[in-house]
Amino acid sequence: MRKFYLILLLFSTVGCASSNLNERGLVTEQAMVVSAHPLASAVGADILRRGGNAVDAAVAVQFALAVVYPDAGNLGGGGFLVLRLQDRRIDALDYREKAPAAAHRNMYLNEKGEVIKGLSVKGHLAAGVPGTVDGMVQVHEKYGSLPWRELVQPAVLLAARGFPLTKLEAKKLNENRKDFIRYSTQRPDFILKSRWKKGDTLRLKELASTLERIRDKGRAGFYEGPTAQLIVAEMQRGKGLISKADLQNYSAVWRSPLTGTYKDYTVISMPPPSSGGLALLQLLTITSDYPVADWGWNTTKTAHFMIEAERRVYADRAKHLGDPDFYQVPVAGLLDKTYLKRRMCNFSLKHATDSDDIAPGEPGPPEAKHTTHYSIVDQQGNAVSVTTTLNSSFGSKVFVGGAGFLLNNEMDDFSIKPGHPNTYGLLGGDANAVESGKRMLSSMTPTILEKDGNLFMVVGSPGGSTIITSVYQTILNVTAHNLPMQGAVNAGRFHHQWEPDVVLAEKKAFTLGRFLGLWWKGHKVIPLSRTIGRVDAILVLPDGKLEGGADPRGDDAAAGF
Ligand code: DON
């Protein structure tokens, strides 16, 4: 009888593999924006129509998302931006949050050295110094073409006039109401109504005023003057650490993008302090030695191989990755082809490896020395790939009183105690320990692919630790399995991160036969009732048109012309 129930349970939890793999997304002739919210995509497309370039559109979309998608769109968070101009110049901007100067290694531990539950996740101590506004100012100064004011103004209008809530957003605001009240010291506009429903207009007066200051004064509209004073006052009321000096000293950093090749493609992605680009390149380099295209999409064999590669790559991440300004990350050693081949030497096609038998590798020495993603391509062929976040959905749940925006809870991305998993179950050690002024390790993977020297794909995702594997799978879905962009985004996802030693799988990732096949090989596959990642991507088609892949797991939408 028990067996019968188990089989019944399996049938009800594991669905049939994705049926919409061959779906095509919106196809446009010239330019496109794909983001987590239709209103933000529309703002970006409008900037492009007015002659703005992809960077102008990226700035406008970042600010629009801060209004219409407060779960992850933000002023009080940070992110990473990778760009490729039509003349093939590439660049990467790190506007990741930093630990406040007063932060220290043991700040989340009690006298006994035990982790104080929740302290790095909710409330004022969870917040790092926000990087978003400086990031937007810097990218605009270097690459923008339209006046700054015109890029912030659409967000001002959305906040001041209000906008209709989607069903999903209304639900999430309701679910988080209690936390907003508990962790914020003053009542934000977001809780004016006790129960939001689809179509309700959300008007955000305080946020509109903050955005006006940013529109009129740029960087100083946030890191100085009234906004800075409101942030510092909020910190004082809630016993947080971010000071006036932390805000003044914050600066986004230009970094050299991490590049590598996978088959015929050049992959351009984010270097540390994100682990995303490095882990993605490790995964793709390993994959280039295996015939995954012949094995087929999400077959037992393909998935088994991918899980085994992921297990090894995430073990490396736990030990070797951190903020390069504080810790020498052995980037070249970790990407070395011979090193990666060695990592796979105990891989068997027959059965799963136990994660306890996989330790982080020993690469060569260091060389001297609820997130959201959006993808943009403009009429000239410039491409921008941005992943930005507050960390968890609605970050620390702390609204800056009087300023109308949420602060991040990015401090939890540090390893707050060696061996203690963060919200995403990720482990870490010295490389990613909390230090004053340090940036916490990220998994964000904004990526651009070239084929034969031409722009091919712009891609990225939210999803904490699952970001890297979502981007990896989406790239393989197109390059190895020939799916259209939308189909590649629709396709069911799965994820392994070394520890915990389980495979998380969306119900539509595997047929029952493949699911059982993976168990047979020794993989602990857990069918999820929730989804993994929210990929927003753009593919350049052979005739030069653009195909959008907007993730149906959310309200995501493509817009363009
Ligand atoms: O930087 C990181 O890796 C995390 N803070 C990302 C968080 C995230 O993706 C949440 N989204 N669902």
Side-chain angles (χ1 to χ4, degrees):
M1 201 59 180
R2 267 176 58 197
K3 247 189 198 155
F4 171 76
Y5 279 121
L6 185 69
I7 291 171
L8 205 68
L9 180 78
L10 278 178
F11 271 109
S12 60
T13 50
V14 185
C16 33
S18 312
S19 53
N20 47 1
L21 293 182
N22 293 318
E23 184 185 345
R24 269 222 182 274
L26 175 73
V27 174
T28 64
E29 302 273 338
Q30 297 182 49
M32 186 177 283
V33 179
V34 189
S35 86
H37 199 287
L39 290 172
S41 296
V43 163
D46 190 47
I47 294 290
L48 295 173
R49 234 177 250 113
R50 280 158 43 193
N53 64 23
V55 166
D56 294 322
V59 172
V61 170
Q62 173 85 42
F63 287 119
L65 284 169
V67 180
V68 297
Y69 189 55
D71 333 31
N74 66 83
L75 299 179
F80 296 104
L81 176 151
V82 172
L83 64 81
R84 178 192 180 275
L85 301 182
Q86 128 275 338
D87 61 8
R88 296 196 66 188
R89 267 182 297 155
I90 57 174
D91 214 341
L93 181 64
D94 162 0
Y95 58 102
R96 180 71 159 167
E97 302 89 327
K98 291 174 78 163
H104 58 90
R105 195 179 177 102
N106 296 332
M107 63 185 278
Y108 299 110
L109 308 183
N110 64 19
E111 321 74 63
K112 291 190 206 141
E114 296 156 347
V115 169
I116 304 170
K117 206 165 169 259
L119 205 58
S120 65
V121 182
K122 289 180 184 173
H124 295 68
L125 281 178
V129 185
T132 291
V133 175
D134 191 58
M136 292 304 104
V137 168
Q138 289 211 35
V139 75
H140 176 255
E141 274 172 4
K142 197 164 171 185
Y143 295 107
S145 68
L146 292 184
W148 171 257
R149 294 180 60 84
E150 289 184 28
L151 309 179
V152 191
Q153 182 62 10
V156 172
L157 292 181
L158 281 168
R161 292 179 184 165
F163 60 93
L165 285 172
T166 65
K167 189 173 167 200
L168 191 61
E169 286 307 302
K171 178 169 170 269
K172 286 201 256 171
L173 286 180
N174 295 338
E175 282 168 1
N176 281 277
R177 180 183 164 79
K178 267 201 196 130
D179 272 352
F180 292 160
I181 294 171
R182 172 154 177 214
Y183 292 103
S184 303
T185 59
Q186 290 178 3
R187 297 205 146 205
D189 296 338
F190 288 86
I191 57 165
L192 284 181
K193 244 177 128 147
S194 61
R195 254 208 108 61
W196 296 102
K197 53 183 195 323
K198 180 181 172 196
D200 281 350
T201 300
L202 182 57
R203 229 174 253 110
L204 301 163
K205 284 205 191 122
E206 292 173 343
L207 182 59
S209 305
T210 302
L211 282 162
E212 277 168 0
R213 291 192 288 275
I214 295 168
R215 177 195 65 194
D216 298 341
K217 299 219 152 59
R219 189 195 140 89
F222 185 86
Y223 296 93
E224 293 168 34
T227 314
Q229 280 157 21
L230 290 168
I231 297 173
V232 172
E234 181 63 50
M235 284 290 130
Q236 282 162 357
R237 285 194 299 273
K239 301 199 173 52
L241 297 183
I242 301 173
S243 67
K244 196 172 156 198
D246 284 328
L247 294 170
Q248 266 165 1
N249 295 338
Y250 182 87
S251 179
V253 182
W254 289 99
R255 301 196 187 269
S256 298
L258 206 55
T259 59
T261 47
Y262 166 66
K263 300 202 172 232
D264 300 337
Y265 306 92
T266 302
V267 181
I268 305 157
S269 194
M270 197 65 212
S274 184
S275 62
L278 203 148
L280 176 67
L281 279 173
Q282 285 189 304
L283 287 168
L284 290 172
T285 305
I286 294 171
T287 306
S288 56
D289 286 338
Y290 295 83
V292 285
D294 298 342
W295 292 344
W297 177 81
N298 280 21
T299 56
T300 306
K301 209 169 188 178
T302 301
H304 167 63
F305 155 73
M306 290 168 73
I307 291 163
E308 289 299 313
E310 290 168 10
R311 188 193 305 281
R312 287 157 177 83
V313 164
Y314 276 80
D316 276 354
R317 180 194 190 280
K319 175 160 180 200
H320 297 296
L321 294 215
D323 181 351
D325 297 342
F326 283 72
Y327 183 88
Q328 290 210 323
V329 181
V331 175
L334 288 166
L335 291 175
D336 182 73
K337 286 208 167 81
T338 320
Y339 167 77
L340 290 170
K341 271 197 202 312
R342 244 188 7 248
R343 291 292 281 150
M344 291 300 280
C345 67
N346 59 352
F347 163 63
S348 155
L349 266 175
K350 293 210 181 83
H351 52 80
T353 324
D354 195 324
S355 275
D356 290 344
D357 297 334
I358 299 287
E362 295 302 333
E367 49 273 43
K369 177 180 144 75
H370 204 241
T371 307
T372 187
H373 178 84
Y374 55 97
S375 295
I376 301 179
V377 176
D378 68 18
Q379 299 93 307
Q380 286 79 41
N382 303 305
V384 178
S385 186
V386 179
T387 315
T388 178
T389 190
L390 290 164
N391 192 21
S392 310
S393 212
F394 302 102
S396 60
K397 325 277 180 181
V398 175
F399 281 91
V400 174
F405 66 89
L406 280 157
L407 288 169
N408 66 83
N409 63 339
E410 220 73 70
M411 294 295 281
D412 187 63
D413 273 349
F414 278 117
S415 172
I416 58 171
K417 185 181 175 184
H420 181 85
N422 75 359
T423 305
Y424 306 102
L426 290 166
L427 298 178
D430 274 351
N432 189 33
V434 185
E435 284 180 69
S436 165
K438 186 177 179 181
R439 286 171 154 88
M440 51 300 275
L441 183 61
S442 171
S443 301
M444 291 191 268
T445 315
T447 299
I448 297 175
L449 261 64
E450 283 179 351
K451 188 178 183 189
D452 305 326
N454 298 315
L455 180 65
F456 181 71
M457 192 193 291
V458 188
V459 59
S461 177
S465 56
T466 66
I467 292 174
I468 300 163
T469 43
S470 298
V471 173
Y472 170 49
Q473 287 170 78
T474 307
I475 292 174
L476 289 193
N477 289 347
V478 174
T479 59
H481 305 301
N482 289 321
L483 301 187
M485 192 71 259
Q486 187 62 51
V489 168
N490 296 344
R493 301 186 185 122
F494 61 92
H495 170 78
H496 191 286
Q497 59 180 48
W498 177 48
E499 295 288 358
D501 189 357
V502 292
V503 181
L504 305 179
E506 289 184 329
K507 285 183 197 160
K508 61 179 182 172
F510 303 118
T511 57
L512 184 62
R514 292 169 180 183
F515 174 83
L516 293 174
L518 286 166
W519 270 93
W520 189 251
K521 284 187 188 290
H523 295 289
K524 294 162 216 110
V525 191
I526 302 181
L528 296 176
S529 50
R530 61 180 174 84
T531 53
I532 295 179
R534 249 172 99 162
V535 175
D536 284 334
I538 301 173
L539 184 68
V540 181
L541 301 173
D543 61 3
K545 289 183 184 163
L546 304 170
E547 186 200 344
D551 207 317
R553 292 161 182 82
D555 297 322
D556 307 43
F561 49 90

